[in-house]
Amino acid sequence: GEEPKTLPDYAAWKERNALILHSANTMETKRGAIGNGVITASDRLFVRNNLPAIPESETENPDAWEVHIEGVQNPRTLTVGELKKMGVTTTASVLQCSGNGRAFFPHGASGTQWSVGAAGCVMWTGVPLKDVVEALGGAVAGAKYITSTGGESLPEGIDPKTIVVERSVPTRAMETALLAWEMNDEPLSNTHGGPLRMVVPGYYGVNNVKYVKNIAFTENETDAKIQASGYRIRDVGDKGAPDQPSMWEMNVKSWVTAPLETGSSGRNMIYGVALGGTVQLEKVEVSVDGGKTWKQARFLGPDLGPYAWRPFVLAADLSPGEHRIVSRATDIEGNSQPEGRTDNERGYGHNGWKDHGVTVAIS
Ligand code: MSS
């Protein structure tokens, strides 16, 4: 459809000029608005809602928001107020949509045509999930998945399984997952999932369930459509199915954020951001000749841990003419971004360095 011109009410506080408004439920940070900081300003962070955000009226008393926890020895309903007394931690992590980079797939993958800006790095504060589970006696034997359900009220007359935002992640995520009520040191906005959000550091956006109202430790993945057939990597033309890889841990990725389009000859600072998913980054290399020759960039700013992104910079002398500037990140396990992309039906998980580059005209 047509791109809206103004921000929808639930996101009216966002910085309009920093965003590309794809639709009322999808807005992307412009490449040039990502900046060189480790933390993405909240009002520039992308938004992606599969269902409309819950109304503000449901979040007026955030401490009263309830989450039910099951698949533990002592299942219970807890309020945010109670969770706040059970433990607290702060984790910096990249929030990135599974479809970030979709616009670069030549087959025209359906869905929002995200370029690079369906991603940001933010600070989450909340209780470690494992503290909550321990307080409730531990997960039941045989639990293999953590299944989180979003709190949107669903339209009547439609099978709820086909629209509910309910995601399962493997229990290995328990070590790092948290139930967050703050983002960037402010109460978590409704736009980004307040009063309470499941945060799974290093996992694709969809697993970070907003307005979480139910958490279950289960033997199987949920059969909700968004899990069973949605967010699955499959060949172009194939239908989604539970045996295909699910969008869980993010892959290693980077992209250049400046200069964009034009610049002047001589010394240029080339900036970008890089992330390792669940694995610490090792290095980022930059090429100003489309990948023929590479130089190692320098990380910029503090290292906020393996789930945060790292801004990088390389000083390069650019001659007049067109330059194709690309970046390539490598993690400490030796995984590097590939040159190309893995074509897949829905355009997920693109981390190929070639497509993510920029062409800059230097005069
Ligand atoms: N949650 C809920 N509840 N709902 C919805 O819709 N979405 C997803 C996540 N979570 C949802 C949820 C997605 S899909 C994403 S990306 C994310 O979220 C986003 O976030 P922000 O905050 O940014 O908006 Mo793709 O993979």
Side-chain angles (χ1 to χ4, degrees):
E2 273 277 287
E3 283 183 20
K5 289 188 178 58
T6 53
L7 293 163
D9 283 351
Y10 77 95
W13 58 279
K14 291 269 170 179
E15 191 186 331
R16 171 70 187 90
N17 292 336
L19 299 166
I20 305 164
L21 253 70
H22 291 289
S23 75
N25 284 330
T26 46
M27 33 202 109
E28 157 168 16
T29 314
K30 290 179 184 167
R31 197 193 276 252
I34 292 170
N36 318 317
V38 187
I39 296 300
T40 305
S42 302
D43 59 2
R44 293 185 168 203
L45 183 65
F46 83 103
V47 178
R48 193 289 192 244
N49 281 336
N50 301 56
L51 292 172
I54 62 170
E56 296 278 353
S57 57
E58 287 186 40
T59 64
E60 266 153 23
N61 183 1
D63 283 356
W65 179 267
E66 293 180 339
V67 58
H68 183 69
I69 317 232
E70 59 192 50
V72 288
Q73 299 307 329
N74 306 301
R76 259 191 75 182
T77 298
L78 294 161
T79 62
V80 169
E82 288 170 311
L83 289 172
K84 285 181 175 172
K85 295 176 190 159
M86 296 177 85
V88 67
T89 190
T90 295
T91 303
S93 79
V94 173
L95 184 68
Q96 178 184 219
C97 184
S98 311
N100 197 29
R102 178 180 287 136
F104 303 125
F105 286 93
H107 69 282
S110 72
T112 304
Q113 296 302 299
W114 307 112
S115 162
V116 295
C121 180
V122 291
M123 292 276 233
W124 304 104
T125 294
V127 61
L129 180 63
K130 69 168 191 252
D131 289 3
V132 178
V133 172
E134 262 165 40
L136 302 186
V140 293
K144 288 205 202 102
Y145 298 97
I146 309 164
T147 298
S148 308
T149 314
E152 292 102 334
S153 36
L154 306 175
E156 275 170 49
I158 308 175
D159 176 3
K161 290 278 179 196
T162 63
I163 48 170
V164 67
V165 176
E166 187 171 89
R167 288 286 301 176
S168 303
V169 295
T171 45
R172 61 177 177 267
M174 175 103 91
E175 285 310 303
T176 55
L178 63 148
L179 292 170
W181 53 76
E182 263 182 31
M183 189 182 91
N184 290 348
D185 299 329
E186 282 173 341
L188 182 55
S189 64
N190 166 275
T191 324
H192 293 294
L196 193 69
R197 183 171 193 168
M198 171 62 77
V199 172
V200 190
Y203 280 56
Y204 284 100
V206 67
N207 303 291
N208 297 263
V209 174
K210 307 189 203 187
Y211 348 102
V212 63
K213 68 160 191 205
N214 202 81
I215 298 165
F217 291 84
T218 51
E219 201 183 320
N220 298 305
E221 294 178 41
T222 169
D223 59 356
K225 188 172 174 239
I226 195 170
Q227 180 83 21
S229 61
Y231 296 84
R232 299 272 175 186
I233 296 270
R234 71 257 193 188
D235 288 344
V236 175
D238 284 2
K239 285 204 158 39
D243 61 346
Q244 300 153 350
S246 193
M247 298 311 287
W248 284 334
E249 286 97 343
M250 296 190 285
N251 54 25
V252 62
K253 184 169 178 176
S254 70
W255 58 89
V256 168
T257 55
L260 304 175
E261 290 168 29
T262 57
S264 37
S265 64
R267 183 53 58 104
N268 273 263
M269 294 295 176
I270 298 169
Y271 294 96
V273 288
L275 59 128
T278 55
V279 185
Q280 184 86 32
L281 284 172
E282 163 83 31
K283 62 173 179 185
V284 180
E285 297 153 292
V286 168
S287 170
V288 296
D289 53 16
K292 285 191 206 84
T293 58
W294 297 88
K295 273 193 180 140
Q296 195 165 328
R298 182 166 67 75
F299 288 129
L300 199 58
D303 180 355
L304 297 184
Y307 313 110
W309 71 22
R310 300 227 53 192
F312 62 84
V313 65
L314 178 79
D317 293 315
L318 300 180
S319 52
E322 275 206 346
H323 291 264
R324 181 73 182 165
I325 308 180
V326 290
S327 64
R328 180 174 68 190
T330 302
D331 68 27
I332 58 165
E333 290 174 2
N335 304 300
S336 271
Q337 290 179 250
E339 175 173 356
R341 49 177 182 265
T342 307
D343 284 319
N344 67 94
E345 173 64 16
R346 295 304 310 277
Y348 290 138
H350 192 348
N351 70 340
W353 56 257
K354 198 169 191 173
D355 286 347
H356 284 83
V358 292
T359 301
V360 182
I362 297 293
S363 53

